[in-house]
Amino acid sequence: MVIFIAAVALVFGRFLWIYCNRPPHRQEIADAYSVRLFYGVPRVDSRGGNATFVATSDTGFAVFLVNTATGKMTAVKREDAMGEWGHFFDLKVWPWAPDDSAFIYTVGNELDLCRPETGETVASLDLPTEVTSLAWLTPNKFLFIGKNEALYRIERQADGQWDIISTLHADRALASTENYPKEAAAKAFDGRVNTKWYNNSRPQPWWLEYEFGDGKWRAVNQYNLTSGNDFPQRDPTDWQFQGSNDGSNWVTLDAHTGETFSSRLQTKSYLFSNKTAYGWYRLYVTRNAGGEEFGLQLSEFALNSADAQGKLNDLSLRRNPFVDAGSLVALSADSVAWTQDNKIWTLDNASMTPDLLLDFEAPGMPGGLLRGFSYSRDSGRFLLSCTNSQKNLIYRFSRNNPNAGSPPMELLGNIQDAVWLGGRADDRWVGSQGGSFVFGFGSHKESGNTLSRVKANTFTTTSDDKRIFFLGTISNEPSAGIWQYDVAEKELHCVVSYADYPSAFARKIEPVNDFILSDSGKYTVYLPADFYKNRHRKYPLVIGDTDFGFAMRGEYGRMWAPAVAACNAFVIIVNRPDWFNGIDKWGENVTAALERFSSRLPIDTHRIYLFGVSAETTYISEFLKHSPERWRGVMLLNPTGLPDLLRMSSFRSMPKILISAGGLEDMEKPLKKYQETALKEGMVVDLVIAPGEKHHLIGNAAQRQRTRAMLEFIFSE
């Protein structure tokens, strides 16, 4: 009897200790760490009264219009997550009209102009391509560069309608699809075998096209193909070489079947008879070496003619100034400028002819990487942000320099992404230094006006230079929000918070920066929030083996790991180099990690929780066939495999299970049946289904739901 009473007292004391050590404000912490994610640069009107931005919403993604004074937000356009797993979207916001009469957002090839008062669409255009850069010239006219490497001018007509007035493009490369921008179609025509075009789509056929944009058509009678650097399964085997006069109707000039490439980066030449000049040529591939699941790739596709020397389509020589173009910037009501490969191009609206203004790599020029520029209409000066020999530098360059060809003037080092503040004769600017803001005049930094607490990811200024808007943090917030800084008053104001429910109990928690503890990056380790205050206390542990960047960052994972740490538990992640590399060693890697850290950290061995994401759950389920009683719980996030309940029920002690999945995965019925079967076997299975979500939980509401469930699962005994 005495032994029984002692045992009961021991168990009761254990649960009392756990209860007393439960983290306070658990739900508040879960909500605060369910942060919204921002995409791209916030766009503000000329005086900073309103701004537009793209961010995650409660369900999917949205374009938001916000009043910067009141913080009132309106979802102008919502878009559910796209793709099989639900992690793609194509919303973008663009600059406001010069008179603040309209703002622009795009959804793929659709462009909408909206009223600033309500966000209501006043005009919608179906464009021939996606927008990559846009600049207003006047309230009734703007230019944009498209993903198809062409420039377009759009104007408002007398009847109020908006129409494309003109199109300008040089030589350009097109493809059925492309892995843009790293393995874009243009990479097959750049004269470099160390780059390539890769078409990862299916099904076949695939095509790769070159268009001559100067109106001078060519009679091609030979072409060269260079195989890719890897995966011979992606080599073309059956194809037709075709020409066209309009880009729509094609004539087959040459055809091959059963072709092979004996090595990587091998060039093969094909000669045929043709005397007709065409403006478009393409390779139309109907079969590759390995099957459509591998896609298609080529390092080079060269067009030749018997009456011409060298390649006819070398984009490294016949460079299209709109390929990989940087942001368009209006220089006046009639001209724009943009960067491209360390060059600055300008274009006059009347002539619509690109002119090379500055080549940063030309003889006598500073060289290095031209990151971007700011332009002052008042002074006619450019402020160039560059990187040279791993140093960030800013330069001043005059558009109307009387000494043509003279290099830009270096102003200051260790400054990046600087912009003019008015650009008047005093040359006042603001830039970034280590993520903080620095103000200066000409070649001198302004003393006493550095926002040292600020960590800005990106920033912009209003046209009246009175306010700076940035996406970042100002102290210790868990994630970035949109802030504004009043330059004259030197005051900060939050425009859009990092989360719908921010909290003083949520702070930025980063993995420990300790090479010994992390084994030179092999492990990612989050320490409990109170660890340094109470090192003798034993803390719960959440452990898994995953590709940290894929499963724990961005829209895929968000911030449940620091939320767990904020509630006083260890989180240890074995870092796989990529998603599938080593996934079959999941159990082995987690066991080794646990042995390593058990002797280094005060871990409560009675409260160890496993977690896995997607395909990892299959390997966790296999791992749990052996000694499942060792684990207090298992968290399966968007699982593709589930533990064998009958096998686990034969053990004396079994872990509880949390399953979190998207409602659109069509798994709710089988998961509920699994939950019912578990209950019959005496096991606890918590099931959380996020409505409207796919294999990746995107919406803020779904992230909140998951994080709440995980904290409840770990800390509620």
Side-chain angles (χ1 to χ4, degrees):
M1 185 66 179
V2 173
I3 296 176
F4 174 76
I5 294 173
V8 171
L10 184 63
V11 172
F12 178 77
R14 169 72 178 172
F15 279 99
L16 180 63
W17 182 89
I18 291 174
Y19 178 83
C20 293
N21 284 276
R22 288 190 307 171
H25 315 292
R26 189 172 62 224
Q27 181 172 312
E28 189 175 342
I29 288 172
D31 292 351
Y33 280 98
S34 302
V35 301
R36 62 167 52 92
L37 300 180
F38 297 87
Y39 297 88
V41 181
R43 306 289 184 170
V44 297
D45 63 20
S46 63
R47 294 173 295 177
N50 294 288
T52 53
F53 62 94
V54 176
T56 50
S57 64
D58 262 2
T59 55
F61 307 89
V63 171
F64 290 95
L65 171 66
V66 61
N67 182 296
T68 62
T70 65
K72 180 182 177 181
M73 296 197 311
T74 302
V76 175
K77 175 68 176 180
R78 296 184 184 273
E79 182 180 62
D80 292 333
M82 300 182 298
E84 180 182 357
W85 289 352
H87 59 301
F88 292 119
F89 71 101
D90 54 8
L91 293 170
K92 294 183 177 68
V93 291
W94 303 100
W96 287 63
D99 62 352
D100 300 335
S101 60
F103 65 85
I104 292 176
Y105 72 82
T106 55
V107 187
N109 289 21
E110 178 189 324
L111 182 146
D112 285 66
L113 294 103
C114 304
R115 299 184 192 278
E117 302 84 6
T118 61
E120 174 190 2
T121 297
V122 295
S124 185
L125 299 175
D126 187 13
L127 304 177
T129 181
E130 292 183 35
V131 177
T132 61
S133 184
L134 183 149
W136 290 84
L137 296 176
T138 70
N140 298 312
K141 184 190 309 177
F142 62 87
L143 304 175
F144 77 85
I145 295 175
K147 190 177 178 180
N148 64 353
E149 299 159 3
L151 182 135
Y152 298 83
R153 182 174 71 194
I154 293 182
E155 295 183 9
R156 179 160 50 189
Q157 306 304 301
D159 60 0
Q161 297 297 312
W162 292 81
D163 294 315
I164 296 177
I165 301 303
S166 61
T167 305
L168 175 68
H169 66 83
D171 289 16
R172 59 179 174 175
L174 304 169
S176 47
T177 61
E178 58 188 350
N179 185 20
Y180 183 87
K182 184 179 179 181
E183 295 167 328
K187 302 297 183 182
F189 305 105
D190 61 4
R192 297 180 291 180
V193 295
N194 61 338
T195 64
K196 68 181 179 184
W197 162 66
Y198 173 43
N199 184 330
N200 58 357
S201 71
R202 49 186 175 176
Q204 52 202 23
W206 304 283
W207 52 266
L208 178 62
E209 177 183 329
Y210 192 88
E211 178 184 354
F212 292 103
D214 58 7
K216 297 179 181 179
W217 294 0
R218 271 78 170 172
V220 172
N221 61 6
Q222 182 187 23
Y223 60 96
N224 299 334
L225 301 179
T226 303
S227 60
N229 64 317
D230 57 10
F231 295 105
Q233 298 92 333
R234 298 174 179 172
D235 292 345
T237 59
D238 300 1
W239 68 78
Q240 301 166 29
F241 180 80
Q242 301 174 322
S244 175
N245 291 326
D246 56 10
S248 299
N249 300 293
W250 297 90
V251 177
T252 298
L253 305 174
D254 186 45
H256 292 269
T257 59
E259 287 290 305
T260 60
F261 291 81
S262 60
S263 62
R264 301 299 80 211
L265 303 180
Q266 179 190 8
T267 299
K268 299 186 72 173
S269 182
Y270 301 89
L271 182 66
F272 57 94
S273 176
N274 174 53
K275 295 183 179 180
T276 303
Y278 295 97
W280 290 260
Y281 290 93
R282 76 175 181 180
L283 192 73
Y284 188 80
V285 181
T286 54
R287 191 164 69 91
N288 68 355
E292 64 179 21
E293 64 270 19
F294 285 95
L296 192 77
Q297 68 180 16
L298 283 170
S299 289
E300 282 294 301
F301 178 21
L303 306 180
N304 300 296
S305 176
D307 58 357
Q309 294 184 350
K311 289 167 52 177
L312 299 175
N313 62 331
D314 190 344
L315 284 180
S316 65
L317 300 176
R318 302 168 49 77
R319 186 65 175 172
N320 181 341
F322 307 124
V323 174
D324 299 331
S327 296
L328 281 172
V329 175
L331 305 182
S332 67
D334 294 304
S335 61
V336 292
W338 65 95
T339 58
Q340 180 216 47
D341 274 1
N342 289 338
K343 301 176 180 66
I344 296 180
W345 294 84
T346 62
L347 180 138
D348 184 88
N349 182 52
S351 65
M352 291 292 285
T353 302
D355 292 312
L356 181 60
L357 176 67
L358 177 68
D359 185 346
F360 214 62
E361 295 180 337
M365 293 295 172
L369 175 65
L370 178 59
R371 296 164 52 94
F373 68 87
S374 172
Y375 179 75
S376 168
R377 294 192 184 190
D378 294 333
S379 65
R381 290 173 173 174
F382 289 84
L383 185 62
L384 312 178
S385 295
C386 315
T387 300
N388 196 335
S389 301
Q390 298 183 338
K391 294 181 180 179
N392 294 315
L393 303 165
I394 57 174
Y395 293 83
R396 184 178 64 204
F397 175 74
S398 177
R399 182 186 183 192
N400 303 312
N401 193 336
N403 301 314
S406 61
M409 175 182 178
E410 181 179 336
L411 296 181
L412 202 63
N414 201 25
I415 305 293
Q416 65 184 44
D417 302 329
V419 299
W420 292 123
L421 281 177
R424 294 173 292 275
D426 55 16
D427 282 350
R428 194 177 187 209
W429 50 262
V430 58
S432 176
Q433 189 175 57
S436 299
F437 288 118
V438 177
F439 296 84
F441 293 93
S443 59
H444 303 283
K445 283 198 294 186
E446 180 181 327
S447 61
N449 201 3
T450 300
L451 295 172
S452 58
R453 296 177 301 161
V454 166
K455 297 297 178 185
N457 302 332
T458 183
F459 72 95
T460 186
T461 60
T462 55
S463 58
D464 61 7
D465 307 318
K466 293 182 178 180
R467 302 184 195 180
I468 300 171
F469 286 81
F470 64 92
L471 179 62
T473 60
I474 67 163
S475 57
N476 206 23
E477 309 95 276
S479 189
I482 298 178
W483 295 80
Q484 69 169 331
Y485 177 69
D486 189 303
V487 176
E489 301 297 330
K490 299 183 180 180
E491 292 179 349
L492 281 165
H493 168 67
C494 182
V495 177
V496 181
S497 178
Y498 62 87
D500 289 325
Y501 303 98
S503 170
F505 299 104
R507 59 185 178 84
K508 191 174 187 64
I509 297 180
E510 293 282 9
V512 292
N513 186 21
D514 186 324
F515 275 7
I516 296 177
L517 189 62
S518 67
D519 194 9
S520 301
K522 182 178 180 180
Y523 304 100
T524 296
V525 181
Y526 288 90
L527 299 178
D530 292 345
F531 177 73
Y532 291 109
K533 297 179 182 178
N534 191 352
R535 296 194 181 202
H536 301 292
R537 171 186 167 186
K538 290 188 177 297
Y539 298 91
L541 167 66
V542 177
I543 188 169
D545 172 0
T546 195
D547 177 356
F548 184 82
F550 183 82
M552 305 291 292
R553 293 288 197 192
E555 61 268 27
Y556 307 112
R558 294 291 237 284
M559 298 187 69
W560 66 257
V564 170
C567 290
N568 277 323
F570 290 105
V571 179
I572 296 176
I573 300 160
V574 184
N575 295 321
R576 287 203 309 277
D578 54 59
W579 183 246
F580 288 108
N581 187 0
I583 194 173
D584 57 329
K585 304 290 186 182
W586 196 98
E588 180 182 326
N589 293 339
V590 166
T591 300
L594 189 58
E595 291 176 356
R596 169 186 172 81
F597 288 101
S598 293
S599 60
R600 289 172 167 84
L601 298 173
I603 295 171
D604 184 346
T605 56
H606 298 287
R607 302 175 70 195
I608 300 177
Y609 298 83
L610 303 177
F611 83 89
V613 181
S614 188
E616 296 166 358
T617 58
T618 299
Y619 299 94
I620 294 179
S621 301
E622 185 68 25
F623 179 61
L624 286 172
K625 291 180 179 179
H626 313 284
S627 61
E629 73 278 1
R630 186 177 186 183
W631 319 108
R632 182 69 187 91
V634 182
M635 296 181 288
L636 308 175
L637 312 180
N638 301 97
T640 58
L642 297 171
D644 186 336
L645 294 174
L646 293 178
R647 181 71 177 265
M648 289 174 58
S649 64
S650 63
F651 288 84
R652 184 173 60 182
S653 177
M654 296 165 290
K656 58 181 183 177
I657 298 173
L658 169 66
I659 300 175
S660 170
L664 298 182
E665 292 188 87
D666 295 327
M667 291 288 291
E668 186 168 2
K669 286 185 178 179
L671 289 176
K672 284 185 175 180
K673 185 175 180 180
Y674 182 85
Q675 186 182 37
E676 293 169 0
T677 303
L679 184 61
K680 293 176 183 178
E681 298 294 334
M683 287 180 280
V684 176
V685 174
D686 294 340
L687 179 60
V688 180
I689 301 295
E693 297 286 342
K694 295 185 180 180
H695 196 59
H696 292 294
L697 304 192
I698 301 299
N700 301 336
Q703 290 292 331
R704 257 192 323 272
Q705 179 194 44
R706 170 175 283 181
T707 306
R708 283 183 181 183
M710 294 178 75
L711 298 189
E712 180 75 14
F713 184 78
I714 298 166
F715 298 104
S716 177
E717 295 284 351

